[in-house]
Amino acid sequence: MNYVISLLKEIIKKRKLIWDLSKADFRKRFVGSYFGVVWMFVQPIVTVLIYFLIFGPYGFKSSPPVPAPYVLWLVPGIVPWFFYAEALNTGTGCLQEYSYLVKKVVFQVEMLPIIKLISCVMVHGFFVLIMMGLYFCYGWWPMLTWIQVIYYSFAASMLALAFAYLTSAVNVFFKDMAQIVGICLQFGMWMVPIMYDEAMFTQKAPWISVLFKLNPFYYIVVGYRDSMLTGNWFWERPTLTLYFWSVTIVLMLLGLKVFKRLRPHFSDVL
């Protein structure tokens, strides 16, 4: 616990350095690219379009469990997943990418997953604005609960950071970890009801509902939809909220413990 407190103090103390490095990391993604920042949006938008065509009114004609167009139900589920997957993928490889900083004795390497996370938050902010713009295009007016997206974005950030501390530390010694994380994310996307209504399964086997809710990211998906579509607040799901934060805190403490244990050997391996 002392380690966590000292880390929080260090983050506050070096917040300007973290912010500057995060902005530099964001800009670095598009250096040398002709279209630059445009590529940040192309792949996710194309992905949303593909799922919309497959599951929407022109494909399998999936019906959302709320009185809304399918795309307005799909987007609040898939936007946080894009953010979470990118934060975890980039966080896993951050120590290799910034190996020159890891080898500097004066630099606290625990900052690197945070820098990657903040860089991903910048991208996520643009997509949240696009999501809200899509709702306007469909004639939906803002609800007070839309502001709650900030809370659920923070929750997704903490979950991604908890895993990133663990995977980034292991990835230094076990290079296949990055590929394993990528595969798990591809598989994990279908373990959360993002593209489909969970009632497809729970009506036939009610116990599957428990499996869905055991996945902490389920809380993020339903939270975004509560905020954007139904107008429900997070305290209306007290059990899920308590479960999510309990799991996330345990994962964060575990990730930090592994990171601290392996940290003295990072510079030797890298």
Side-chain angles (χ1 to χ4, degrees):
M1 187 56 68
N2 291 335
Y3 174 65
V4 176
I5 295 173
S6 63
L7 178 59
L8 288 173
K9 289 181 179 178
E10 194 69 17
I11 292 171
I12 295 171
K13 181 181 177 182
K14 296 185 177 178
R15 59 188 181 276
K16 187 179 185 303
L17 174 63
I18 294 172
W19 176 243
D20 290 340
L21 289 174
S22 299
K23 290 189 293 184
D25 183 87
F26 177 79
R27 291 192 296 266
K28 187 178 69 174
R29 300 183 186 201
F30 312 107
V31 172
S33 174
Y34 184 77
F35 290 103
V37 75
V38 173
W39 292 115
M40 180 176 72
F41 302 101
V42 171
Q43 184 178 355
I45 290 174
V46 169
T47 304
V48 170
L49 182 61
I50 290 171
Y51 287 134
F52 172 67
L53 293 175
I54 293 175
F55 294 99
Y58 308 106
F60 291 112
K61 298 182 179 180
S62 299
S63 299
V66 293
Y70 176 76
V71 68
L72 295 187
W73 181 82
L74 170 67
V75 171
I78 207 167
V79 163
W81 179 263
F82 285 149
F83 165 55
Y84 172 75
E86 184 186 22
L88 185 49
N89 268 323
T90 57
T92 298
C94 67
L95 297 180
Q96 281 82 3
E97 183 177 350
Y98 288 98
S99 58
Y100 61 93
L101 289 177
V102 175
K103 295 175 183 179
K104 290 184 179 293
V105 179
V106 295
F107 187 82
Q108 192 153 0
V109 292
E110 286 86 350
M111 304 299 176
L112 291 176
I114 298 174
I115 290 166
K116 279 294 183 182
L117 176 65
I118 295 174
S119 176
C120 293
V121 168
M122 296 179 189
V123 178
H124 181 58
F126 284 110
F127 275 100
V128 168
L129 293 177
I130 292 173
M131 175 177 67
M132 292 179 177
L134 181 64
Y135 274 70
F136 286 131
C137 292
Y138 272 83
W140 283 55
W141 291 101
M143 295 184 291
L144 189 59
T145 52
W146 282 20
I147 197 173
Q148 197 173 227
V149 166
I150 298 173
Y151 161 74
Y152 284 108
S153 296
F154 174 74
S157 299
M158 292 300 99
L159 182 63
L161 185 62
F163 278 118
Y165 273 120
L166 176 63
T167 57
S168 62
V170 174
N171 193 49
V172 173
F173 306 93
F174 181 61
K175 306 298 183 184
D176 294 332
M177 177 56 70
Q179 283 70 34
I180 292 173
V181 168
I183 293 172
C184 289
L185 286 171
Q186 288 182 1
F187 182 70
M189 186 177 186
W190 295 96
M191 299 301 292
V192 188
I194 294 175
M195 276 78 68
Y196 56 86
D197 180 12
E198 61 186 277
M200 293 170 55
F201 301 96
T202 57
Q203 285 178 351
K204 299 177 181 178
W207 57 270
I208 295 180
S209 176
V210 178
L211 292 181
F212 279 134
K213 293 175 181 178
L214 285 176
N215 185 339
F217 200 80
Y218 176 89
Y219 178 70
I220 306 298
V221 172
V222 298
Y224 266 73
R225 286 173 175 156
D226 283 346
S227 303
M228 298 300 299
L229 283 170
T230 62
N232 296 107
W233 296 95
F234 73 90
W235 57 76
E236 296 179 47
R237 298 182 181 270
T239 305
L240 268 181
T241 300
L242 180 61
Y243 171 75
F244 172 83
W245 285 111
S246 298
V247 170
T248 301
I249 290 171
V250 169
L251 289 173
M252 183 70 77
L253 294 175
L254 175 63
L256 285 171
K257 183 177 181 179
V258 172
F259 196 97
K260 181 184 178 183
R261 183 73 60 86
L262 299 177
R263 182 182 58 183
H265 310 289
F266 287 164
S267 58
D268 296 333
V269 177
L270 293 172

